[in-house]
Amino acid sequence: MRKWLAVIFLILLGFFMAKITSSFPFGKEKWGVSKHYVDRGIEENRGSNLVTSIVVNYRGFDTLGEVTVLFLAATALAFLLSTCRCRRRYERREASLIVKTASETLYPLLILFGAYIFIHGHLTPGGGFQGGTVIASAVMLMLLAHFTFHPNHRALSTVEGLAGITFVLIGFAGLIWGGSFLANNIIPLGQWNRLFSAGVIPLIYVAVGFKVGSELSGLITDMINTTKEE
Amino acid sequence: MAFFVASILLILIGLYAVLVKRNIMKIVIGLSLMDTGVNVLIISLGFIRGRTAPIVNIKDLLVNTSSKVVDPLPQALVLTAIVIGVAVTAVALSIVMLMYSKKKTLEIEEYKELKW
């Protein structure tokens, strides 16, 4: 009964959603405010990757809020899991030699790759969030392969806090010397398509990379390590 | 057009799982599917046929950029949405862990305390 009600509701919802989306032309130009971002983005920010220049500069305040939401989620998760007396039903088994050796070899390389992704966030597809996620995946690989591996929690939260403060301070520097919060005219913009270009965008994205990397690493560590043997 | 249909189907499948399934893990998977569907829908709204990615790394793209690249704004919005989706999934999974540690079951029918 409940199932059929849900199906009828979903059919109605799907009909209305199809009706709304069919009024948008697929694959045609629908420029709004982003026409300005695309046409004048290089001139104003010098960042080759236009998505980065939108995320960090034009909508930088939104990204600050997003980083805050991520921080809030990590805090809520740590709080919820600290009240949990979670027990495992199974015994954790030592991983095989191949997995352990391979994960030890891959761990520094994955961290290096993550750092590469967030340092080149203004030039190539990628950026702070993506690079941070790659770093967190390296930590997760180590946690799954070695259960004696414990990332230093205090160091992770220090890095996270410092990175978050850096983001806010760059924003305030823009407010003081540039005229608006997160303004991109406090340091020279540099030449187009060079590593040292785009003003404060790479600085902010490196801070975001550190923050997301340490935050997600801490989150994964919390989730894996709170379950104890029965 | 196929992208619109696929994303609406993904959203509806996710909503179906949330409404009908009794297992909490399946409900969380449904939430995640809905999230993915919305992301695909937003990305496909910004797609323009025959254009390249909005990364201006060759000289040719520098002049008259808006006639050569797709709309970067939906991609930036989806970047935000993906990160928020990860946060939501993590919090939902930790709540599931907490619930499981109390009652040792994942069936939502067993949790009657909050019903009125």
Side-chain angles (χ1 to χ4, degrees):
Chain A
M1 178 60 196
R2 204 175 63 158
K3 204 171 181 174
W4 291 111
L5 274 178
V7 168
I8 291 167
F9 170 69
L10 288 176
I11 288 172
L12 274 176
L13 190 69
F15 174 72
F16 284 116
M17 281 171 73
K19 198 127 176 93
I20 291 167
T21 47
S22 66
S23 65
F24 298 123
F26 178 73
K28 303 267 168 49
E29 293 198 27
K30 302 178 274 290
W31 295 104
V33 66
S34 48
K35 195 172 173 64
H36 173 90
Y37 300 160
V38 169
D39 279 334
R40 317 235 325 142
I42 297 295
E43 207 178 315
E44 289 175 355
N45 281 320
R46 300 286 156 71
S48 305
N49 188 346
L50 292 170
V51 179
T52 298
S53 104
I54 291 176
V55 167
V56 181
N57 194 262
Y58 293 115
R59 298 181 61 85
F61 198 59
D62 184 40
T63 306
L64 186 59
E66 174 192 3
V67 167
T68 316
V69 169
L70 199 60
F71 171 72
L72 194 68
T75 316
L77 188 133
F79 168 70
L80 283 173
L81 290 184
S82 71
T83 62
C84 172
R85 280 175 292 125
C86 305
R87 293 276 179 275
R88 253 198 304 277
R89 290 276 185 79
Y90 55 91
E91 207 176 315
R92 248 180 118 173
R93 227 178 19 179
E94 190 86 14
S96 74
L97 184 68
I98 298 172
V99 175
K100 284 167 108 172
T101 317
S103 65
E104 273 164 30
T105 319
L106 278 175
Y107 180 59
L109 291 175
L110 275 173
I111 289 190
L112 186 70
F113 181 55
Y116 170 83
I117 289 178
F118 68 64
I119 289 170
H120 291 76
H122 57 301
L123 301 176
T124 56
F129 295 103
Q130 295 89 327
T133 317
V134 170
I135 289 176
S137 76
V139 173
M140 185 165 162
L141 181 68
M142 281 302 269
L143 279 167
L144 290 178
H146 307 255
F147 52 78
T148 51
F149 178 76
H150 290 292
N152 186 344
H153 226 282
R154 182 174 292 261
L156 283 180
S157 48
T158 313
V159 168
E160 186 196 319
L162 283 178
I165 289 171
T166 311
F167 193 160
V168 178
L169 283 183
I170 291 172
F172 276 117
L175 187 62
I176 294 167
W177 291 294
S180 72
F181 194 72
L182 287 167
N184 194 8
N185 51 9
I186 49 174
I187 56 174
L189 287 177
Q191 266 191 315
W192 163 73
N193 224 0
R194 293 276 180 279
L195 181 57
F196 292 100
S197 66
V200 296
I201 288 179
L203 298 179
I204 292 175
Y205 240 10
V206 167
V208 170
F210 272 109
K211 189 165 164 59
V212 172
S214 54
E215 204 143 52
L216 289 183
S217 304
L219 209 137
I220 292 166
T221 316
D222 278 344
M223 268 194 148
I224 291 183
N225 283 345
T226 42
T227 52
K228 294 179 186 66
E229 303 285 331
E230 190 125 62
Chain B
M1 213 56 215
F3 287 96
F4 287 163
V5 176
S7 58
I8 289 173
L9 275 181
L10 264 178
I11 295 171
L12 292 183
I13 291 170
L15 198 56
Y16 177 80
V18 173
L19 288 176
V20 171
K21 291 291 170 190
R22 306 270 163 81
N23 190 313
I24 310 175
M25 285 305 280
K26 288 180 183 168
I27 293 175
V28 175
I29 292 171
L31 283 176
S32 192
L33 273 177
M34 269 161 77
D35 200 42
T36 315
V38 172
N39 289 347
V40 173
L41 182 63
I42 299 175
I43 281 285
S44 58
L45 282 176
F47 174 70
I48 303 171
R49 215 176 284 281
R51 304 286 180 86
T52 181
I55 295 171
V56 189
N57 53 2
I58 47 173
K59 279 245 154 52
D60 190 36
L61 288 175
L62 270 177
V63 284
N64 210 357
T65 316
S66 64
S67 63
K68 288 165 189 155
V69 298
V70 301
D71 196 345
L73 188 62
Q75 305 190 4
L77 292 177
V78 165
L79 183 58
T80 312
I82 289 172
V83 177
I84 304 299
V86 168
V88 167
T89 312
V91 174
L93 284 177
S94 70
I95 292 173
V96 171
M97 279 168 85
L98 205 62
M99 286 164 83
Y100 185 79
S101 76
K102 291 262 162 34
K103 284 209 168 166
K104 302 285 173 223
T105 174
L106 286 174
E107 292 298 305
I108 196 111
E109 304 274 296
E110 299 293 319
Y111 294 89
K112 294 198 168 83
E113 289 88 347
L114 285 177
K115 280 191 179 170
W116 64 84

